[in-house]
Amino acid sequence: MPEQLGIAFGTPVPTADSTRARLPRPPSLATVCGISCGMSARHFFGTLEAERVTMLVDTRQTTTYRDARFAHGDDLAYACERHDVGYAHIAELAPTADLRAAYHKVADGKSAAREERAVAWTAFLKGYARLVSTDRKVLREGSPLRDLLYGPHERIAFLCACQHHEDCHRRVLLGMIAKHVDGIAVAHLGPENVGGIAPSLKSPRRYLLEPIPSADIPASRMPGRRAS
Ligand SMILES: [Zn+2]
């Protein structure tokens, strides 16, 4: 029901299965990358350079929280300028405060069972997928995202603070772009993938109890939990 993407994106391709409608291959763009700002500035900009990323899209809901360090507010835009990387904060690619609050209300509770957290995380990611595809239609003609995808950049990175892509809405965003735009590959530039130290956190977010078809993300069932 929430995954009516062909309609959502206003694509001209008519098809009985609206989820298969696709936008044409962009003239320059070949790869969309996900990256975390939870690393040192040296590692971060070294990674962008090594991966030949020329455009950074900020998908955080807010950029001025206390632990943002080099990625705080205008500092990140300035640092990108100094490194010859384009920068745009696209607010409509961020989750809403309501979605985040609903997740944290469950996940931050000390007594929450692992399964409750997985249910809340699944609801968060599915809610985000619905938000960007059905509600905000972020790939609509003339949207900031669509204009970027069809612009001059070969490799664009999408940023969030979450360390691991599986713990972050950016995974859904990248999957959705790859599914709906022809010829686009996805790369996750997490520390574990670019020669750094993998995040050590034991995330409560790794288990997705239902798949997200609009982003081609399968469910990852919790060990010991029966399929529903
Ligand atoms: Zn995130």
Side-chain angles (χ1 to χ4, degrees), residues 1-11 18-19 92-94 99 125-140 143 145 172-173 175-177 179-180 212-215:
M1 181 267 289
E3 321 288 352
Q4 300 293 320
L5 289 162
I7 297 163
F9 299 155
T11 151
S18 63
T19 64
E92 68 176 16
L93 301 183
L99 275 174
L125 280 193
K126 289 192 81 88
Y128 175 76
R130 192 163 49 240
L131 177 76
V132 289
S133 58
T134 305
D135 302 345
R136 292 177 174 168
K137 301 176 175 56
V138 299
L139 282 175
R140 68 192 180 276
S143 74
L145 175 61
V172 173
L173 179 64
M176 185 194 76
I177 293 170
K179 173 153 183 165
H180 294 280
I212 302 179
S214 61

Side-chain angles (χ1 to χ4, degrees), residues 160-162 167-170:
C160 186
C162 309
D167 303 340
C168 183
H169 67 279
R170 66 182 185 264

